[in-house]
Amino acid sequence: MESLRFVLPQSEIPTHWYNVVADMPNAPMPPLGPDGKPATPEQMSAIFPMAILEQEMSAERWIPIPQPVREIYRLWRPSPLIRAARLEEMLGTPARIYYKNESVSPAGSHKPNTAIAQAYYNKQAGIKRITTETGAGQWGCSMALAGQMFGIDVRVYMVKVSYNQKPYRRSMMQTWGAEVFASPSEMTQTGRAALAADANNQGSLGLAISEAVEEAASRADTNYALGSVLNHVALHQTVIGLEAKKQFEMAGDWPDVIFAPCGGGSSFAGIAFPFVADNAAGGRNGKLVQLVAVEPASCPSLTKGQYAYDFGDSSGFTPLMKMFTLGHDFMPPGIHAGGLRYHGASPLVSQLYHEGLIEAIAVPQLATFEAGVMFAHAEGLIPAPESCHAIRGGIDEALRCKATGEARTILINVTGHGYFDMGSYDRYFAGELEDFEYPEAAIKESLTHLPHVG
Ligand SMILES: *Cc1c(COP(=O)(O)O)cnc(C)c1O
């Protein structure tokens, strides 16, 4: 029998993260402070530890992973690379499909790869509390887990609509010892102002970020942690792609094309950036790997956004970042159930896209759930709705190969499992979800609020 699982020994947990900045044709566009000048580490040190800010600005190709972080990674890393042979058979494709299974972490997604690192650096800096936000609950769970492992108190502002719809994600965070508040909350000025304007405000990720940042900025013992978008988060996630490369060597194969879901862009960065290094060096045996970010058609930052400086949150607390954005006050339509709702995309992912080194596609939500169900039928694992975007991309490519007879090798980043997202699957089965065409008018309107940069 042929092997389907490619599992590395724990000694192969990467010793260094890979920093794509070292291989980018142009230096990254700097974040800008309130004065329109490049933000200084001092300005950001109110909410991040220095070690993280150094990583945020670093151009070093390899950054050592601290031993205590690698020791915790042992709980689930290296994650398996799996040949999706049953999916290939179901599709009748000559393509070979593999997936990297990041659902094996305790929190059920790739997010602990960075949460553990961020908790470690905050602990080293003497920080006692971390505030953060969460939408669907994946990031809040990962930070709660990481805080517990390093003895740091974690306070999570959870978007109110999810707080009410996803009670078990909230209980998971509480089990790992975190405090969880529905956002907008009465705990911050931002939350109180939002509630004063609309007592029924159901919250948004941008608003929850603003609450968490406001609290962290006002207390010396408290820092803030972000689960995506920023350079250091993309950096920490590169363990995914670094392991995958070794696993493809084990398998005697190599990807032609990689699909990853793209919300803030960290899981895409994690699997794709280590392959950017090969592409920059001319490819493996002269062959470049195609790197495809897959986003929802209802929140299409890369494919329909503008490449511009914008805020990372809805209230304009964060430095300005050059990224593909739909406007910081853009809200995806309420019918959208598949996650990946962030208005922008990682500045590094955005710049690589702008320079033509990576690709992006947008997929409608019914097709993503259809792909998730096909994947569950063939492979067993029920993927997170976010991961279903990448699976849709991979299945469509496999079907294209079927039509042309190409035997390409496809790699999909299965970023998490869907066991706490069954409500969204339920809505799909009940026919309650619909495809919402790209909200052109709403995007046009929110893009008129982009900040002016001199
Ligand atoms: C958060 C999340 C994503 C998307 O976030 P990125 O920053 O784009 O990686 C994708 N999949 C799962 C399972 C997630 O929890």
Side-chain angles (χ1 to χ4, degrees), residues 325-383:
T325 177
L326 300 170
H328 56 276
D329 48 14
F330 174 77
M331 289 260 229
I335 191 71
H336 175 68
L340 309 175
R341 302 170 68 102
Y342 188 60
H343 67 269
S346 138
L348 291 177
V349 170
S350 293
Q351 186 162 333
L352 289 166
Y353 183 62
H354 181 66
E355 294 179 351
L357 298 176
I358 62 166
E359 300 170 32
I361 56 174
V363 291
Q365 78 171 343
L366 290 180
T368 65
F369 281 99
E370 182 196 37
V373 171
M374 285 168 77
F375 187 86
H377 287 186
E379 300 296 318
L381 176 67
I382 301 175

Side-chain angles (χ1 to χ4, degrees), residues 109-111 138 227-228 261-268 340 384 386-387 415-416:
S109 77
H110 66 291
K111 289 191 172 79
Q138 285 275 19
S228 189
C262 191
S266 76
S267 69
F268 171 78
L340 309 175
E386 294 88 347
S387 311
T415 48

Side-chain angles (χ1 to χ4, degrees), residues 224-282:
Y224 166 74
L226 190 64
S228 189
V229 182
L230 299 180
N231 301 0
H232 67 271
V233 183
L235 175 78
H236 300 156
Q237 292 295 351
T238 58
V239 290
I240 304 172
L242 293 169
E243 287 175 6
K245 285 167 114 176
K246 288 186 185 165
Q247 288 163 312
F248 270 101
E249 278 168 6
M250 278 174 87
D253 208 341
W254 200 252
D256 294 300
V257 55
I258 300 178
F259 294 93
C262 191
S266 76
S267 69
F268 171 78
I271 200 160
F273 284 2
F275 290 90
V276 169
D278 299 64
N279 285 356

Side-chain angles (χ1 to χ4, degrees), residues 193-446:
L195 289 171
D198 173 10
N200 252 327
N201 190 317
Q202 290 302 297
S204 70
L205 207 50
L207 195 55
I209 294 177
S210 303
E211 286 204 271
V213 170
E214 181 189 318
E215 184 181 337
S218 69
R219 291 182 56 143
D221 66 347
T222 304
N223 267 347
Y224 166 74
L226 190 64
S228 189
V229 182
L230 299 180
N231 301 0
H232 67 271
V233 183
L235 175 78
H236 300 156
Q237 292 295 351
T238 58
V239 290
I240 304 172
L242 293 169
E243 287 175 6
K245 285 167 114 176
K246 288 186 185 165
Q247 288 163 312
F248 270 101
E249 278 168 6
M250 278 174 87
D253 208 341
W254 200 252
D256 294 300
V257 55
I258 300 178
F259 294 93
C262 191
S266 76
S267 69
F268 171 78
I271 200 160
F273 284 2
F275 290 90
V276 169
D278 299 64
N279 285 356
R284 273 238 170 168
N285 306 320
K287 216 172 63 170
L288 301 189
V289 183
Q290 210 187 328
L291 306 167
V292 187
V294 190
E295 56 185 17
S298 54
C299 192
S301 348
L302 290 172
T303 53
K304 302 279 190 186
Q306 195 168 317
Y307 188 47
Y309 271 104
D310 197 7
F311 294 109
D313 66 325
S314 63
S315 311
F317 275 130
T318 70
L320 294 173
M321 295 178 288
K322 184 87 182 259
M323 60 183 175
F324 279 89
T325 177
L326 300 170
H328 56 276
D329 48 14
F330 174 77
M331 289 260 229
I335 191 71
H336 175 68
L340 309 175
R341 302 170 68 102
Y342 188 60
H343 67 269
S346 138
L348 291 177
V349 170
S350 293
Q351 186 162 333
L352 289 166
Y353 183 62
H354 181 66
E355 294 179 351
L357 298 176
I358 62 166
E359 300 170 32
I361 56 174
V363 291
Q365 78 171 343
L366 290 180
T368 65
F369 281 99
E370 182 196 37
V373 171
M374 285 168 77
F375 187 86
H377 287 186
E379 300 296 318
L381 176 67
I382 301 175
E386 294 88 347
S387 311
C388 292
H389 290 73
I391 294 169
R392 181 76 254 172
I395 287 180
D396 286 346
E397 175 65 10
L399 292 173
R400 198 190 60 76
C401 287
K402 181 179 181 173
T404 62
E406 286 167 90
R408 296 189 96 201
T409 297
I410 299 169
L411 170 59
I412 301 170
N413 197 3
V414 174
T415 48
H417 63 63
Y419 303 147
F420 295 91
D421 304 289
M422 297 318 292
S424 299
Y425 275 90
D426 271 349
R427 288 171 70 195
Y428 170 67
F429 292 134
E432 286 166 19
L433 296 183
E434 47 192 274
D435 283 337
F436 195 94
E437 238 342 273
Y438 129 70
E440 188 171 2
I443 293 173
K444 257 203 177 129
E445 156 67 15
S446 67

Side-chain angles (χ1 to χ4, degrees), residues 18-34:
Y18 165 71
N19 184 2
V20 77
V21 171
D23 288 314
M24 282 169 53
N26 295 298
M29 300 292 286
L32 303 180

